[in-house]
Amino acid sequence: MNWNLLRPEYATWQPEWTEEEIRSTFFKCTKWQVEETLDPINCPYHYYCTSSYAGNYSQAVDFLLLFFAAASYLATLVFMVMHVSGKGQKSIQSKRYLLPSGPVALPLIILALAYGHRINSAFPLSCTGPAILILVLISALTFDNGAQSDFKYVFFETSTISGILHASMYLDSVILPYYTGLDALVSSTFSGECASCVCRKEVLIVGGTLISYRGWSLTTFSVVGTLCSRIICRVAGAKTGRSIWISSIFESSSWILIIVDCVYLTANPPPERLELRVAAFGGIYVLICLYVIREACIHITRLHSAYKSRTAVVCNASKVEMRK
């Protein structure tokens, strides 16, 4: 893959183009048209963009979204640290409103992703959107909504599930044109017929073939399955080993898939906005490490309690024998 084509100095076919013009022409194209070619050997597939980009929103929108995303991340980080230290249960009722998966932040995230195609200056969602969705998934997995009654619990969890599915769908509407344009730019040659006209050896598919990450994916549905299993266990009052085992399988699978997505996106990033991507996914890795520490502490505590109980039973049995 020739990543140098992303740099304007390599675009000799149109040297006056700036990097921003390249982004708006290829990365923001939502409709690629294939037409008949006169050179089936060198140009078997000829594509050009038929959509027009309305332009970026004001940078103020980007900075507001950046501030909101940073605040949501910090809230998640603080509550995860509190959970690791054993102090997180005291603020269950209030924290759900501060978390990315909560009833306040999640609708704002959905709104941002719904119009994320034009948020493309200081904080482009085509680069940071996957990290934001993963942050929502981690928040939903880690924290309970804290509702006391079953009705409120089901309502909040169902709203979270709906929000996650909508956020995933809107994220794909942002990143799929980006990945498609990236494939069209990097894996093609310019025909010179028009500004966006490219020749390809293979068919251009939606989302391209360079990066296979999708918001609407197995990871999202695994998290949704985890939340659904929690609802069933809460409403049905199922505390049996089988229900706990199934819920644990869903949750473990969700975390594994999240880690796989993070590693994949870190290992296969487009060569732009590198600092922003490193900061976003660096923060996600910190949350994952905190979760691993918390789970390790829980297992160590359980093993210690089991050891103490077993030791107490053995000691009591020894005392009985000595009395006899």
Side-chain angles (χ1 to χ4, degrees), residues 26-45:
F26 284 88
F27 298 163
K28 297 300 178 180
C29 181
T30 57
K31 294 180 181 179
W32 287 93
Q33 179 68 41
V34 61
E35 63 178 1
E36 294 184 2
T37 177
L38 299 178
D39 188 1
I41 298 176
N42 298 318
C43 187
Y45 300 100

Side-chain angles (χ1 to χ4, degrees), residues 16-284:
E16 69 274 11
W17 271 32
T18 64
E19 187 176 358
E20 184 60 34
E21 289 173 330
I22 292 176
R23 284 200 185 98
S24 61
T25 300
F26 284 88
F27 298 163
K28 297 300 178 180
C29 181
T30 57
K31 294 180 181 179
W32 287 93
Q33 179 68 41
V34 61
E35 63 178 1
E36 294 184 2
T37 177
L38 299 178
D39 188 1
I41 298 176
N42 298 318
C43 187
Y45 300 100
H46 188 257
Y47 288 89
Y48 65 96
C49 180
T50 60
S51 65
S52 58
Y53 181 48
N56 300 338
Y57 287 129
S58 169
Q59 284 196 356
V61 176
D62 290 66
F63 285 115
L64 284 174
L65 183 57
L66 174 60
F67 175 78
F68 170 72
S72 299
Y73 172 78
L74 288 177
T76 307
L77 179 63
V78 168
F79 284 122
M80 288 200 74
V81 172
M82 292 172 63
H83 264 259
V84 172
S85 62
K87 300 178 181 178
Q89 298 299 326
K90 297 181 180 179
S91 56
I92 286 179
Q93 290 295 330
S94 60
K95 76 182 178 185
R96 67 169 179 259
Y97 297 104
L98 303 175
L99 293 171
S101 58
V104 175
L106 186 53
L108 295 177
I109 291 174
I110 294 173
L111 180 64
L113 291 174
Y115 294 92
H117 191 61
R118 297 180 60 186
I119 302 176
N120 192 47
S121 52
F123 193 68
L125 285 181
S126 56
C127 297
T128 59
I132 292 177
L133 178 62
I134 292 175
L135 177 63
V136 172
L137 299 180
I138 289 177
S139 173
L141 284 175
T142 306
F143 303 105
D144 200 331
N145 62 49
Q148 297 297 328
S149 67
D150 289 345
F151 175 77
K152 289 183 178 180
Y153 182 85
V154 172
F155 174 77
F156 281 120
E157 289 291 273
T158 305
S159 300
T160 302
I161 291 172
S162 176
I164 288 174
L165 293 176
H166 279 84
S168 302
M169 179 179 62
Y170 287 131
L171 175 62
D172 282 344
S173 69
V174 175
I175 64 174
L176 289 185
Y178 177 77
Y179 293 157
T180 305
L182 183 66
D183 193 357
L185 180 62
V186 174
S187 302
S188 310
T189 57
F190 300 105
S191 67
E193 297 294 331
C194 64
S196 62
C197 291
V198 293
C199 291
R200 293 180 56 84
K201 298 294 184 181
E202 299 177 350
V203 176
L204 181 65
I205 64 174
V206 176
T209 58
L210 302 180
I211 301 176
S212 61
Y213 173 79
R214 303 290 184 267
W216 192 270
S217 64
L218 183 60
T219 305
T220 296
F221 286 105
S222 181
V223 174
V224 168
T226 302
L227 299 182
C228 290
S229 67
R230 291 178 182 177
I231 293 175
I232 294 173
C233 290
R234 174 71 177 264
V235 174
K239 300 294 183 180
T240 61
R242 178 178 296 181
S243 61
I244 295 175
W245 181 75
I246 293 175
S247 181
S248 177
I249 290 294
F250 268 115
E251 185 168 353
S252 300
S253 301
S254 299
W255 279 104
I256 291 173
L257 290 171
I258 286 175
I259 294 173
V260 169
D261 283 347
C262 289
V263 172
Y264 177 81
L265 289 169
T266 304
N268 299 276
E272 62 165 0
R273 308 282 183 161
L274 181 60
E275 298 83 1
L276 192 59
R277 292 177 183 272
V278 169
F281 283 99
I284 296 297

